[in-house]
C-alpha cells in the first residue's frame, strides 16, 4: 500500500499551500491519492497485492495525483453475484474500481444476470488479460501413473469413467486405494468448479447450443458427481486437507483427483496449499506430489481479466489510474513475478516454472475449450443443483449462555442472528437433501447429555417447517460448552446411519471454546475423528462465531475430518458465512 507522501510530495504540498499575497488567495493543497480497489480471485490475490506494492514503490502519478492500490480477496462467483444484484459495502466489502475474476466466463455471466434484472451493463465489452492458467486435473503421482501418465494422453472421459466405475481403483489393480474420490469446488462460487462442470457437460456430449440440456448429458454429469467426496467454496480447503493427510502418509486415502488451475498444482507441491506469498516461511513439501493432467479433449483457460467497472463510483481519474496500473501488470517486471509463481503470461508464455520437473507441461494444453455462450453457461451452472451429489447434514448449534449476549450496536443477541442465518441457510439445500438439527451447551446433571436431538436427519422437503420452528424456539441455556463431547456424539450418530450415496457431514456453530471439565481432550477427539473408516467417513465443518471462538481447536477438528473451518468476527455477517459452508454440499 502507498504509505504516505514522499519528501518531494510534501514539498509540493507546502508550496501550493502558501499564501499568494498579490491576490490574497490561498491555493488549496492537491487532492489525495487516487485509490484503486481491486476485487481479485483467491488464487492470485496475495501475489497481486505484492505486485501492487512494487508498483506503488515506483511512485506512480496520474493527473498530478499519486496512486495507491488496495487488493481485496474475493471469490469470482461471490463478486459476480454482488455486482449482479448491486454491491453492498456492509456485506460485500469496499467498492471495487477493478474486478479481476479468474476467468472472463464470470464477466459474461454478470452481464447476462444484470440484463435479466433490467440493469445496465457494468463491464466493458472487451477486457484485457493479465495472466493465464489452464484448468487441469490434479492427481497424486502414483494414481496418475496407474492411469498411464506421463506417456498416455489422459482425458476427462478416462477420469469420469473411473469415477463412475463401481470397482473404483480396483479396476486398475489398486484395490487398496478404494473408490475413486473426486474433489470439486462449487460452480456457483469458484472458477475451477464452474470450468470443471462445463468440461463435464462437454464430455457428456453437450453441444453448447440451446439452454435445454439433453437427458443423456444430465445422466452422465450426475454419474460424475456421484464420485465427489464433498464440494467447497475454495480449492485451498481441499489442498490443505490433502497436505495434512500427506503429513500422516495417508494422502492416497484422502482424494484421487481435484479440478484446479495449473498454478495450484505448483503451489501444493511447494507446500503452499493456500497460494499465499508469506516470505521466510519454512514450508514442508508433500511426500506424494500432485501432477497436472491436461485432458486430451481440451480444457478451459482461466484468463484473469482486468475489468474496469462502468460504475458511478469510478470516475475519469480512477480510469486513468487503472490504465497506468494495467500497463505495469502487463509490463516485464510484473509479468516475471507472475511467471515465477507458475502463472502463464497474458500472452500465454509459460515462463520458467511450467516444466516437467515441476510435473507441469509447457507444451500443453494442445486444445483450448471455449465456454459456451452466456445463456448456456447459465443453464449448465443452474443444472448443478439438480445433478450434484446429495447431502446428509446435521446442523449443531451452540445455545450456551454466551449466545445470549447482545451484539454491539443492536438490540439482538448472537443467538438471534445465528437463528436467522440458519433458517435462511435451509433454502440453500436441495429438496431431497437430508438435514437434521441438534443444540448443545452443558449437561444439567450427571446423567444428562449436553446435547439434544431436535430433528433427526430427513428429507428437508418434508421437514423444513419443523426445522424452522425448532431453530426459532432455541434459547440460551447452560453455563458451559461441551464442545468435544458433542462433536464426538454427533459424528457417531451420523456414522450409525451412514449413507454412502450422500455427503455425510456435521456443521457445528459455536461462539466459544470447550469448557466441559468432563472432557477436555482435544488430541483424543482428533485421533478418534481421524480413525473413521474411509467407507463411513463423516466430515465436520466448523464455524467460529464471534471473537471468543476457539478457532485453533475448530480448525484442528475440521482438518481431522478433511473438512473446512469458517469464521465470522461480526455476528451480523453469519448468514454470509453459512452460505459459504453450505456450498460444500
Amino acid at each position: 500500500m502507498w504509505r504516505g507522501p514522499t519528501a518531494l510530495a510534501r514539498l509540493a504540498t507546502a508550496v501550493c499551500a502558501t499564501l499568494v499575497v498579490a491576490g490574497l488567495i490561498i491555493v488549496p493543497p492537491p487532492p489525495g491519492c487516487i485509490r484503486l480497489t481491486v476485487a481479485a480471485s483467491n488464487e492470485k490475490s496475495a501475489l497481486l497485492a505484492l505486485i501492487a506494492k512494487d508498483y506503488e514503490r515506483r511512485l506512480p502519478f496520474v493527473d498530478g495525483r499519486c496512486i495507491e492500490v488496495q487488493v481485496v480477496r474475493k471469490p469470482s462467483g461471490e463478486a459476480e453475484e454482488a455486482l449482479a444484484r448491486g454491491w453492498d459495502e456492509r456485506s460485500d466489502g469496499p467498492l471495487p474500481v477493478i474486478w479481476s475474476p479468474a476467468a472472463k466466463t464470470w464477466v459474461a455471466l454478470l452481464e447476462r444476470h444484470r440484463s435479466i434484472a433490467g440493469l445496465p451493463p457494468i463491464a466493458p465489452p472487451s477486457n484485457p488479460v493479465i495472466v493465464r492458467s489452464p484448468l487441469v486435473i490434479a492427481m497424486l503421482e502414483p494414481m496418475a501413473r496407474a492411469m498411464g501418465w506421463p506417456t498416455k494422453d489422459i482425458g476427462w472421459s478416462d477420469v469420469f469413467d473411473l469415477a463412475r466405475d463401481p470397482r473404483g481403483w480396483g479396476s486398475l489393480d489398486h484395490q487398496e486405494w478404494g473408490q475413486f474420490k473426486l474433489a470439486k469446488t462449487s460452480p456457483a462460487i469458484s472458477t475451477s468448479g464452474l470450468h470443471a462442470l462445463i468440461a463435464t457437460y462437454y464430455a457428456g456430449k453437450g453441444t453448447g447450443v440451446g439452454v435445454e440440456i439433453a437427458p443423456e448429458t444430465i445422466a452422465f454429469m450426475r454419474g460424475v458427481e456421484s464420485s465427489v467426496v464433498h464440494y467447497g467454496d475454495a480449492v485451498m480447503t481441499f489442498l490443505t486437507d490433502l497436505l495434512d493427510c500427506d503429513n500422516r502418509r495417508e494422502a492416497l486415502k484422502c482424494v484421487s483427483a481435484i479440478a484446479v488451475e495449473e498454478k495450484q498444482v505448483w503451489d501444493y507441491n511447494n507446500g503452499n496449499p493456500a497460494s499465499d506469498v508469506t516470505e521466510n516461511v519454512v514450508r514442508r513439501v508433500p511426500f506424494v506430489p500432485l501432477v497436472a493432467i491436461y485432458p486430451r479433449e481440451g480444457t478451459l483457460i482461466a484468463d484473469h481479466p482486468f475489468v474496469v467497472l462502468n460504475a458511478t463510483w469510478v470516475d475519469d481519474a480512477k480510469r486513468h489510474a487503472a490504465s497506468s496500473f494495467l500497463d505495469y501488470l502487463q509490463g516485464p517486471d510484473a509479468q516475471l513475478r507472475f511467471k515465477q509463481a507458475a502463472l502463464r503470461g497474458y500472452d500465454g508464455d509459460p515462463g520458467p516454472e511450467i516444466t516437467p520437473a515441476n510435473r507441469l507441461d509447457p507444451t500443453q494444453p494442445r486444445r483450448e475449450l471455449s465456454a459456451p455462450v452466456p445463456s448456456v453457461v447459465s443453464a449448465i451452472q443452474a443444472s448443478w443443483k439438480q445433478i450434484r451429489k446429495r447431502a446428509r447434514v446435521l446442523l449443531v448449534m451452540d445455545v450456551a449462555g454466551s449466545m445470549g449476549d447482545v451484539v454491539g450496536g443492536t438490540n439482538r443477541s448472537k443467538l438471534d442472528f445465528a437463528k436467522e442465518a440458519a433458517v435462511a441457510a435451509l433454502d440453500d439445500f436441495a429438496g431431497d437433501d437430508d438435514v437434521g438439527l441438534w443444540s448443545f451447551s452443558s449437561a444439567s446433571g450427571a446423567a444428562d447429555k449436553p446435547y439434544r436431538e431436535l430433528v433427526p436427519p430427513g428429507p428437508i422437503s418434508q421437514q423444513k417447517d419443523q426445522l424452522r420452528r425448532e431453530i426459532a424456539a432455541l434459547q440460551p441455556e447452560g453455563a458451559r460448552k461441551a464442545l468435544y463431547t458433542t462433536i464426538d456424539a454427533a459424528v457417531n450418530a451420523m456414522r450409525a446411519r451412514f449413507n454412502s450415496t450422500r455427503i455425510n457431514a456435521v456443521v457445528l456453530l459455536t461462539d466459544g471454546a470447550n469448557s466441559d471439565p468432563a472432557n477436555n481432550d482435544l488430541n483424543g477427539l482428533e485421533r478418534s475423528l481421524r480413525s473413521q473408516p474411509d467407507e463411513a467417513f463423516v466430515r465436520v465443518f466448523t464455524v467460529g462465531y464471534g471473537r471468543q471462538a476457539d478457532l485453533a481447536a475448530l480448525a484442528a477438528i475440521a482438518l481431522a475430518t478433511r473438512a473446512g473451518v469458517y469464521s465470522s468476527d461480526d455476528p451480523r455477517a453469519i448468514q454470509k458465512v453459512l452460505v459459504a459452508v453450505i456450498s460444500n454440499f
Side-chain angles (χ1 to χ4, degrees), residues 131 265 311 504 519 547:
V131 290
V265 173
N504 295 256
N519 180 2
R547 298 182 183 277

Side-chain angles (χ1 to χ4, degrees), residues 12-67:
T13 299
V15 170
C16 290
T18 56
L19 179 67
V20 180
V21 178
L24 294 178
I25 299 173
I26 296 178
V27 179
C33 291
I34 302 169
R35 167 166 286 198
L36 297 177
T37 299
V38 184
S41 55
N42 288 342
E43 67 294 313
K44 69 171 181 291
S45 59
L47 178 59
L48 188 61
L50 277 186
I51 292 173
K53 288 182 179 179
D54 291 340
Y55 170 71
E56 288 177 345
R57 290 189 188 102
R58 296 174 178 245
L59 305 178
F61 272 71
V62 166
D63 299 337
R65 296 170 63 186
C66 52
I67 303 170

Side-chain angles (χ1 to χ4, degrees), residues 39-161:
S41 55
N42 288 342
E43 67 294 313
K44 69 171 181 291
S45 59
L47 178 59
L48 188 61
L50 277 186
I51 292 173
K53 288 182 179 179
D54 291 340
Y55 170 71
E56 288 177 345
R57 290 189 188 102
R58 296 174 178 245
L59 305 178
F61 272 71
V62 166
D63 299 337
R65 296 170 63 186
C66 52
I67 303 170
E68 62 178 25
V69 182
Q70 175 190 31
V71 177
V72 178
R73 176 175 289 199
K74 194 78 171 172
S76 299
E78 191 177 301
E80 187 275 329
E81 188 271 337
L83 289 167
R85 62 167 156 73
W87 196 279
D88 184 345
E89 289 187 89
R90 294 170 299 178
S91 59
D92 300 322
L95 286 166
V97 174
I98 300 160
W99 177 37
S100 184
K104 291 181 180 178
T105 316
W106 294 106
V107 183
L109 278 176
L110 170 64
E111 294 306 339
R112 173 173 171 78
H113 292 156
R114 285 181 65 88
S115 176
I116 291 172
L119 297 173
I122 197 172
S126 62
N127 298 281
V129 168
I130 52 176
V131 290
R132 296 178 184 271
S133 192
L135 177 73
V136 301
I137 305 166
M139 188 173 290
L140 291 165
E141 186 168 357
M143 292 177 163
R145 290 190 182 279
M147 294 190 70
W149 179 90
T151 56
K152 177 184 175 181
D153 280 338
I154 301 170
W156 290 110
S157 57
D158 299 311
V159 172
F160 295 156
D161 286 347

Side-chain angles (χ1 to χ4, degrees), residues 24-293:
L24 294 178
I25 299 173
I26 296 178
V27 179
C33 291
I34 302 169
R35 167 166 286 198
L36 297 177
T37 299
V38 184
S41 55
N42 288 342
E43 67 294 313
K44 69 171 181 291
S45 59
L47 178 59
L48 188 61
L50 277 186
I51 292 173
K53 288 182 179 179
D54 291 340
Y55 170 71
E56 288 177 345
R57 290 189 188 102
R58 296 174 178 245
L59 305 178
F61 272 71
V62 166
D63 299 337
R65 296 170 63 186
C66 52
I67 303 170
E68 62 178 25
V69 182
Q70 175 190 31
V71 177
V72 178
R73 176 175 289 199
K74 194 78 171 172
S76 299
E78 191 177 301
E80 187 275 329
E81 188 271 337
L83 289 167
R85 62 167 156 73
W87 196 279
D88 184 345
E89 289 187 89
R90 294 170 299 178
S91 59
D92 300 322
L95 286 166
V97 174
I98 300 160
W99 177 37
S100 184
K104 291 181 180 178
T105 316
W106 294 106
V107 183
L109 278 176
L110 170 64
E111 294 306 339
R112 173 173 171 78
H113 292 156
R114 285 181 65 88
S115 176
I116 291 172
L119 297 173
I122 197 172
S126 62
N127 298 281
V129 168
I130 52 176
V131 290
R132 296 178 184 271
S133 192
L135 177 73
V136 301
I137 305 166
M139 188 173 290
L140 291 165
E141 186 168 357
M143 292 177 163
R145 290 190 182 279
M147 294 190 70
W149 179 90
T151 56
K152 177 184 175 181
D153 280 338
I154 301 170
W156 290 110
S157 57
D158 299 311
V159 172
F160 295 156
D161 286 347
L162 183 57
R164 295 182 300 154
D165 193 321
R167 297 171 296 170
W169 284 105
S171 64
L172 295 177
D173 297 324
H174 282 284
Q175 293 84 352
E176 72 275 16
W177 296 339
Q179 292 298 307
F180 187 92
K181 303 179 185 75
L182 182 63
K184 294 173 64 179
T185 48
S186 165
I189 299 174
S190 165
T191 303
S192 60
L194 178 59
H195 282 181
L197 187 66
I198 293 171
T200 308
Y201 163 84
Y202 281 140
K205 297 183 170 42
T207 63
V209 178
V211 296
E212 294 295 327
I213 303 176
E216 58 269 24
T217 301
I218 288 289
F220 177 87
M221 296 169 74
R222 183 180 286 113
V224 171
E225 299 300 315
S226 68
S227 67
V228 169
V229 290
H230 77 86
Y231 301 97
D233 58 332
V235 167
M236 174 183 68
T237 300
F238 296 116
L239 297 182
T240 300
D241 290 343
L242 180 59
L243 194 61
D244 181 66
C245 288
D246 182 89
N247 191 45
R248 291 179 280 107
R249 304 298 181 96
E250 295 180 346
L252 294 164
K253 293 173 56 178
C254 292
V255 72
S256 302
I258 313 173
V260 302
E261 284 188 31
E262 178 184 59
K263 168 192 167 43
Q264 292 166 310
V265 173
W266 184 85
D267 284 332
Y268 177 82
N269 289 342
N270 282 281
N272 183 18
S275 298
D276 62 35
V277 289
T278 305
E279 298 179 350
N280 302 318
V281 173
V282 177
R283 302 189 188 278
R284 188 192 68 74
V285 299
F287 297 110
V288 182
L290 290 171
V291 304
I293 294 175

